[in-house]
Amino acid sequence: MKKVVSFNLQNQNEWEFIQNLLNRLSITYETLDSKNTVDQNQDSKIEEALISEIYGSWPGDESSDETIQIIYSARVNTSNEIVL
C-alpha cells in the first residue's frame, strides 16, 4: 500500500529525525524534490491569476449583452459618451 505524506519541516534536523524514525520502524520511503512541485504549483496559480485577469468578468451592473451593445454603439457613433 502506498500513501503520500507531506511534511512542513522547519530544518534539516527535523528531516533527519523523521528519516531515523522511519528506518527504525522499517518503513520504506521515497523522497521527491519539493522545489519542483512547489514551483509548478506556484506557476499554475500565477497562470490562473493572469488568465482570470485577462478574461475575467467585466465589473459592472450591465449584462454582457448590454456591455457589448454600449461598446459597439460607442465605436460606431463616436459622439456618444460611454457610461459604464
Side-chain angles (χ1 to χ4, degrees):
M1 177 171 55
K2 188 172 191 174
K3 298 285 185 180
V4 176
V5 177
S6 175
F7 294 104
N8 295 319
L9 304 174
Q10 302 297 319
N11 55 46
Q12 184 64 28
N13 290 337
E14 289 181 358
W15 171 236
E16 290 171 5
F17 173 79
I18 296 293
Q19 282 182 309
N20 280 334
L21 182 60
L22 293 171
N23 290 332
R24 289 174 62 195
L25 294 171
S26 299
I27 298 174
T28 57
Y29 63 93
E30 63 183 77
T31 59
L32 300 174
D33 183 14
S34 65
K35 278 188 175 181
N36 290 340
T37 56
V38 170
D39 289 345
Q40 289 173 352
N41 289 339
Q42 288 176 346
D43 289 345
S44 295
K45 288 179 183 177
I46 291 170
E47 184 178 357
E48 287 175 17
L50 291 174
I51 290 172
S52 177
E53 184 177 333
I54 293 171
Y55 298 108
S57 298
W58 181 279
D61 296 329
E62 297 84 10
S63 70
S64 58
D65 290 336
E66 291 171 330
T67 303
I68 290 169
Q69 186 60 41
I70 291 169
I71 293 170
Y72 181 77
S73 295
R75 290 180 66 195
V76 172
N77 186 0
T78 57
S79 65
N80 288 347
E81 185 176 320
I82 298 176
V83 179
L84 296 176

